[in-house]
Amino acid sequence: MTHHSPLCGETTPPLSPASLGHLSGVRRRVLSMAQLRDHGVSPARTSAQCRPGGPWQQLLPGVFVLHPGPPTSEERLHAALLYAGRPPVERAGKIPCQPRKDTAQDGSADRSEYGSTMVTGLAALALYRFSAAPALIAVDPIDVLVPRTRRLRSTGCARIVRAQALPVAQQIEGVPVAPVERALADAVAVLADPEVVRALLTEAVRGGHCEPAVVVGELIRARLLARPQVAQAVDMLLAEGRAIAEGRLYAMVRHHGLPDPLWNVELRLPGGPRLGGVDVYWPEEAVALELDTRPPGGEPQSEEEVLRSAYARKREHLERLGITVVHLTPKKLREAPAQQATVVRTALMAAADRAPAAYVTVLPR
């Protein structure tokens, strides 16, 4: 006796003894060989279903779409993750004797379904709803991020991207997705159009997805700053990001009742050398504030190390003169301005208990 399968729209033998009825959506239409076996479908029967004109199709090695028509973008995404996330024993063609536990009793997929794999690159940015990224249906291939040690090759709709250390994935409608900064770096790595690169980087900052310094840090680790289209975009990104951060800094001082400071000044010893510029200075309390817009630490780069050393030397020099230096990051200003205002207010109040600072000349910067 035959049954009409809701999965493929064809009259086919039922998937007994296990039924796929408890699964829903894309997880019912795209399954790996091991998942099919867990549902009682032998490899021989799977091959028969995928013959020319058959109701199923093999989309990627060991991953099958259970209908004959073109796969949807969601199905391609799911298939790429299943392909990259399969255990090594599956990839070697050795199906485990015991059923895998990719599916919970209620049919929902647990975290092991995709292993440690996550979507990255343009596909990830499409899932984050970047307007500058193409729609998911137009992204081909789909980039999937895997550990460096995984022995996989890019094929079909799945392009393998390797990571020395995997970031923590974000979940978007049940799909593991690389953080925005990592997805940006992986997208930029394969883009040649400077306009597209600039649009993506700008949207990441203007849309509040991440701070410029975080993006630049990821681009540094990916060794992409030497590319002209990236370098030009980064210069604009940092300038715009700093302007946004300065606006938040003005708002923090105004909205949280901090004393009026001097803005964007240079400090010098009287008749002596310049001590460096600071973003905000309270001369009576000898408290300086700097926006720390440097990329976060990562893979050592000579220019970055020089920049960090210069920051450290300036701070040490000012503090030896009795000037308190407060560093605020754009991210903290955006996420917790009230908390950062408290940090600054505490430094101002502590001035009364400190020894008087050295006299410095304050000049416009």
Side-chain angles (χ1 to χ4, degrees):
M1 181 177 179
T2 59
H3 296 267
H4 183 77
S5 171
L7 305 181
C8 59
E10 298 285 338
T11 300
T12 60
L15 297 183
S16 58
S19 169
L20 301 182
H22 65 289
L23 299 177
S24 61
V26 68
R27 288 183 172 87
R28 189 168 53 146
R29 304 189 300 269
V30 182
L31 294 171
S32 69
M33 178 67 80
Q35 289 173 322
L36 285 168
R37 182 183 181 279
D38 290 348
H39 289 289
V41 183
S42 68
R45 183 175 168 206
T46 298
S47 297
Q49 295 287 85
C50 294
R51 288 172 183 164
W56 297 355
Q57 55 187 309
Q58 180 171 321
L59 185 57
L60 289 167
V63 182
F64 304 88
V65 179
L66 275 60
H67 65 74
T72 67
S73 56
E74 186 183 12
E75 288 168 349
R76 291 167 56 248
L77 186 73
H78 184 58
L81 286 166
L82 279 180
Y83 166 71
R86 289 177 299 158
V89 67
E90 264 189 68
R91 298 199 311 274
K94 302 173 182 177
I95 304 300
C97 294
Q98 296 298 322
R100 297 193 328 160
K101 297 181 180 178
D102 284 346
T103 307
Q105 292 297 320
D106 61 358
S108 62
D110 69 14
R111 295 180 181 177
S112 65
E113 182 178 19
Y114 303 131
S116 55
T117 301
M118 64 191 75
V119 181
T120 189
L122 287 174
L125 298 180
L127 291 171
Y128 282 116
R129 302 186 182 279
F130 269 60
S131 61
L136 186 59
I137 194 172
V139 179
D140 190 19
I142 293 170
D143 291 331
V144 283
L145 193 61
V146 303
R148 181 183 59 83
T149 54
R150 293 291 296 275
R151 300 181 64 183
L152 281 170
R153 62 181 179 87
S154 299
T155 184
C157 64
R159 178 164 54 198
I160 301 301
V161 180
R162 303 183 191 283
Q164 184 73 29
L166 285 176
V168 177
Q170 308 297 309
Q171 294 291 324
I172 300 179
E173 297 182 3
V175 176
V177 182
V180 169
E181 60 272 15
R182 175 65 203 231
L184 278 170
D186 290 332
V188 166
V190 298
L191 291 173
D193 188 335
E195 294 296 327
V196 176
V197 170
R198 181 165 64 248
L200 289 172
L201 296 179
T202 301
E203 185 173 351
V205 174
R206 290 182 181 175
H209 293 282
C210 49
E211 299 298 333
V214 175
V215 176
V216 174
E218 198 66 50
L219 295 174
I220 288 173
R221 282 188 285 275
R223 301 183 182 274
L224 294 172
L225 289 189
R227 301 186 181 187
Q229 69 270 26
V230 178
Q232 295 170 8
V234 163
D235 289 341
M236 295 182 62
L237 181 73
L238 290 175
E240 180 167 340
R242 182 163 187 88
I244 293 173
E246 287 177 347
R248 291 175 181 149
L249 185 57
Y250 284 118
M252 182 196 75
V253 171
R254 182 172 65 253
H255 293 160
H256 293 280
L258 296 174
D260 289 335
L262 302 176
W263 297 93
N264 294 316
V265 295
E266 181 179 296
L267 305 181
R268 290 178 179 267
L269 288 173
R274 65 186 297 273
L275 302 172
V278 295
D279 295 296
V280 185
Y281 187 60
W282 287 269
E284 292 185 8
E285 294 84 0
V287 172
L289 188 153
E290 283 196 291
L291 276 173
D292 192 346
T293 57
R294 297 168 294 168
E299 193 169 319
Q301 300 288 320
S302 58
E303 291 185 9
E304 182 63 18
E305 289 301 317
V306 169
L307 179 61
R308 289 180 182 280
S309 297
Y311 266 81
R313 286 197 302 270
K314 180 172 72 173
R315 180 171 187 166
E316 290 171 1
H317 194 176
L318 290 176
E319 291 184 341
R320 282 200 300 270
L321 295 172
I323 297 173
T324 299
V325 181
V326 178
H327 278 239
L328 297 185
T329 66
K331 180 179 180 181
K332 289 180 178 179
L333 269 177
R334 174 169 60 92
E335 295 180 350
Q339 183 181 15
Q340 304 315 304
T342 299
V343 171
V344 175
R345 184 176 287 105
T346 300
L348 294 172
M349 294 174 61
D353 299 326
R354 291 188 281 108
Y359 179 78
V360 296
T361 302
V362 182
L363 301 172
R365 184 163 63 167

